[in-house]
Amino acid sequence: MGITTTYDDHVLTKASEDYLEAIYRLSLDCAEGDGTVRSVDVAERLGVSKASVNKALSTLKESDMVEQSRYGRVTLTQKGRDYAALVWRAHRALRLFLESDL
């Protein structure tokens, strides 16, 4: 049974949160400056197949967290950006705690 988080009546699995965080972090690093990322870059960052990314994107689109252009570029919605920022902040706080206190 997976651990989930409720956000505005949507439930995301930890795996979906990981995909959302990867998209967020890639969008911050994006060279184009438009905040869009390629699904192949998400696959590379997480070490998963492009098919896995496409399946995760379908779930995230249904949850109104991402939009995907006709040519495949992925953009976070404002809702997705806010949620991803929270996930990333939580992961950094946990990492800092584990590194400094343990």
Side-chain angles (χ1 to χ4, degrees), residues 47-96:
V48 298
S49 69
K50 192 168 181 301
S52 295
V53 174
N54 289 333
K55 183 175 179 180
L57 287 176
S58 293
T59 301
L60 293 172
K61 283 189 266 188
E62 288 173 10
S63 299
D64 193 33
M65 297 285 179
V66 300
E67 296 173 344
Q68 192 170 20
S69 74
R70 179 176 168 164
Y71 299 105
R73 305 276 305 178
V74 179
T75 307
L76 292 169
T77 63
Q78 187 60 50
K79 179 180 177 180
R81 182 169 292 285
D82 293 344
Y83 191 90
L86 288 173
V87 171
W88 189 36
R89 211 174 5 246
H91 286 171
R92 287 185 309 175
L94 180 59
R95 186 177 304 116
L96 179 63

Side-chain angles (χ1 to χ4, degrees), residues 15-23 26 40-49 53 56:
S16 292
E17 287 183 352
D18 288 342
Y19 282 101
L20 197 62
E21 179 186 2
I23 295 165
L26 284 166
V40 69
D41 293 331
V42 176
E44 185 178 302
R45 175 161 288 207
L46 294 175
V48 298
S49 69
V53 174

